[in-house]
Amino acid sequence: MKTYKGSCSCSKVTFEVETNLKRISKCNCSICIKKGIIHHVVDQNKFILISGKDNLSLYQFGTMRAKHYFCKYCGIHLFNNPRTYPEKVSVNVNCLDDFDFEKEMPKVVKFDGRNWEEAFKSLEF
């Protein structure tokens, strides 16, 4: 396991995540595709919000089950509690300050968020 540090663009929100970053996912739902988020899901106890809790804004829509957190100053989406696993944290890999995609070469899994219900049924748990 490795500990990665992450932040928003203005660095008013910082976090750490402990994980083996071997697999990431890309969702094509309207919110993920427009934000350009790359997901990596971890257990709550592997995610630590270091600073900036008061600088976060929450966005919810649809079922209101997922919780999307972003910096209220620079607008960067840092992490969320996904609808598929609301008890976990999905970190935006693009916000990891010390992650080198080319060097680490994680497996990219696609999630068909445009057809969420059917895609969820096909997930491997």
Side-chain angles (χ1 to χ4, degrees), residues 2 8-9 19-20 30 48 53 65 68 79 93 98:
K2 182 175 176 182
C8 60
S9 182
T19 189
N20 287 322
S30 62
I48 300 171
K53 182 177 180 181
R65 194 168 151 125
H68 302 265
F79 57 91
V93 175
D98 52 357

Side-chain angles (χ1 to χ4, degrees), residues 16-70:
E16 287 183 354
V17 61
E18 182 183 356
T19 189
N20 287 322
L21 222 160
K22 302 289 184 206
R23 178 180 175 207
I24 60 175
S25 64
K26 293 182 96 177
C27 176
N28 67 353
C29 78
S30 62
I31 192 166
C32 290
I33 206 83
K34 290 181 183 205
K35 286 190 295 188
I37 185 172
I38 298 174
H39 297 273
H40 180 71
V41 178
V42 298
D43 290 332
Q44 286 274 355
N45 65 346
K46 299 296 182 185
F47 176 86
I48 300 171
L49 183 61
I50 302 294
S51 66
K53 182 177 180 181
D54 293 338
N55 298 329
L56 290 171
S57 285
L58 171 66
Y59 176 68
Q60 292 182 279
F61 64 97
T63 65
M64 305 298 278
R65 194 168 151 125
K67 295 178 181 174
H68 302 265
Y69 294 96
F70 60 96

Side-chain angles (χ1 to χ4, degrees), residues 112-125:
D112 186 9
R114 291 182 182 168
N115 300 293
W116 196 93
E117 300 297 334
E118 289 302 312
F120 180 70
K121 290 177 190 175
S122 69
L123 285 178
E124 297 175 25
F125 292 98

Side-chain angles (χ1 to χ4, degrees), residues 76-115:
I76 298 298
H77 170 88
L78 295 133
F79 57 91
N80 65 289
N81 301 104
R83 180 178 168 195
T84 50
Y85 317 100
E87 74 285 357
K88 296 190 180 228
V89 176
S90 178
V91 175
N92 183 353
V93 175
N94 288 325
C95 291
L96 297 177
D97 300 323
D98 52 357
F99 176 71
D100 184 338
F101 188 88
E102 298 298 319
K103 182 180 177 185
E104 299 196 37
M105 300 274 297
K107 177 181 179 183
V108 179
V109 177
K110 294 185 179 182
F111 181 78
D112 186 9
R114 291 182 182 168
N115 300 293

